[in-house]
Amino acid sequence: MKIAIYGTGNRAHDFIEEIIFLKCNCEVIYFVESKRTKNEYYDKPVIEATSLDFTDFDYLVIAVEASRGIIEYLKELLPNYDDLKNKIIYEIDFYAMIPEVHRTMPYCSCALTNGIKYIFSSHDRIIGESMLRTGINFAENQINAFFELTDKYYGKKARNGYFFDVGANIGTTSIYVKKELNPKLKIIGIEAGKDNYDLFRMNCIANNVEDIKVCHVAFADAAGKAFFNENTDNPGGSSVTKTNNIAGKNCETVNMITFDEFCEKEAINSGQIDYIWIDVEGFEVNVLKGAATVLKNKIPMMQEFNPFVYEEKGLLNEYLSIIEGTYNYYLDYSEYVKGKELKRPVSEIRELIEKMRAEKRVQTDLFFIV
């Protein structure tokens, strides 16, 4: 296999060292820069992107921090980009082509443009790959929107209470909030998956935010045991279920506790909670059923919304009863991100569900307003 490598910086250095270490069966033809700054790199020629000839190689591997910008540049540069795009891959896609890599490299890492660093599973095709490609924190825009909407609808004021990150995965929400938005918040990350939990703790150390409290537990409607069904290709899509009935997933047992019981044990008054962020892949109703006391304070909440999972479990009516008894309005983030800030009564959520059904959209994110 012949490859060209776009980049001659730290990312390209790490990439070339790794493929040498892994003894990959490939030949590097040359390196590419948008504007050439050197003639050679690793004893190979360096050319400018304007001189690219796609007949020279099988793949052009993008190995730069600002990978998204390079793709946009190539789209402008190459009139026949659509015909060539299958030969343009990111470094993580290159690793995925080599069976030995996942055995020898269980983890990958990335440093984002804001300086935050993450370690993640080398199998992660969604969150980790997104951050490698873009250099941007996963769900950064949505997290920013959560804070902006909270200030707008709940009053702009100093908040230094608790931020609950329920379904925290490897910590991309908690760490971003702590490092970029409000270091004074007391952040508690709730993660049911052991591998995700371990990576979350490592990411806290890597970013000097070890004051984030990371808990290996599932929030639910009652204490007991549940099953964490891991999606190895998309750890963020893993889920908690009461029964182990999801075929093809790695499964582990996890302890459950209610949101209310957790706060009681930790001596946290719900009035001290400033934000609730919930992303638990269809287990949201169980989380909310166990948060009756917490929700009395009508705390700003951003929640992943999986209505067809609730329907399948027979929990949709319970979900709507909880939401309608707590909040007055909601905003659909998928509309907000398109510039449509449409505040609707929570009584109209059923209309949203039918709209999603018609559009074949399985989930969205909702922000709730008192």
Side-chain angles (χ1 to χ4, degrees), residues 140-354:
E140 178 175 318
N141 290 338
Q142 185 181 345
I143 303 167
N144 290 341
F146 184 24
F147 277 69
E148 292 163 5
L149 290 169
T150 296
D151 284 348
K152 179 171 183 176
Y153 290 102
Y154 287 83
K156 192 170 184 178
K157 62 181 181 180
R159 292 183 171 87
N160 55 9
Y162 288 89
F163 181 105
F164 270 89
D165 182 5
V166 185
N169 198 258
I170 63 170
T172 51
T173 297
S174 291
I175 292 170
Y176 178 78
V177 168
K178 191 72 171 180
K179 296 284 286 187
E180 294 292 307
L181 299 183
N182 188 345
K184 294 182 179 180
L185 283 169
K186 304 172 185 69
I187 298 178
I188 297 180
I190 305 299
E191 175 52 44
K194 183 62 166 60
D195 288 347
N196 289 340
Y197 163 75
D198 288 340
L199 286 168
F200 190 171
R201 291 189 298 157
M202 286 191 279
N203 287 326
C204 286
I205 294 169
N207 290 287
N208 299 311
V209 287
E210 293 174 73
D211 56 332
I212 293 176
K213 185 178 180 67
V214 185
C215 304
H216 180 215
V217 70
F219 274 4
D221 51 326
K225 300 287 185 181
F227 296 96
F228 182 79
N229 298 276
E230 182 183 13
N231 184 334
T232 54
D233 291 333
N234 176 19
S238 303
S239 59
V240 175
T241 57
K242 292 292 187 71
T243 56
N244 180 22
N245 58 359
I246 302 182
K249 305 277 184 80
N250 296 326
C251 181
E252 61 189 62
T253 303
V254 62
N255 291 321
M256 297 187 299
I257 188 173
T258 70
F259 204 150
D260 288 341
E261 289 170 336
F262 181 90
C263 289
E264 184 178 352
K265 287 185 177 181
E266 296 292 326
I268 298 171
N269 184 295
S270 58
Q272 299 172 288
I273 303 173
D274 287 324
Y275 302 90
I276 298 175
W277 174 281
I278 303 177
D279 182 353
V280 288
E281 302 299 319
F283 206 63
E284 293 84 18
V285 186
N286 303 79
V287 173
L288 296 174
K289 285 173 67 177
T293 301
V294 166
L295 293 177
K296 285 180 181 178
N297 276 285
K298 305 182 188 302
I299 300 159
M301 181 170 75
M302 180 76 82
Q303 177 227 308
E304 187 177 80
F305 182 56
N306 295 278
F308 307 115
V309 177
Y310 312 157
E311 278 188 335
E312 184 181 339
K313 293 179 177 180
L315 296 174
L316 181 58
N317 287 336
E318 284 189 80
Y319 172 80
L320 294 173
S321 177
I322 292 168
I323 293 301
E324 290 173 3
T326 306
Y327 298 98
N328 297 319
Y329 303 95
Y330 77 90
L331 284 173
D332 183 349
Y333 176 72
S334 66
E335 291 182 336
Y336 179 78
V337 77
K338 296 174 184 175
K340 301 175 183 178
E341 190 174 328
L342 302 175
K343 186 176 77 168
R344 293 188 170 92
V346 292
S347 58
E348 295 181 8
I349 289 180
R350 286 189 186 275
E351 295 177 21
L352 170 63
I353 295 172
E354 293 311 311

Side-chain angles (χ1 to χ4, degrees), residues 102-117:
H102 283 173
R103 289 198 293 272
T104 59
M105 296 177 60
Y107 302 111
C108 291
S109 63
C110 62
L112 306 183
T113 54
N114 58 12
I116 296 177
K117 301 176 285 290

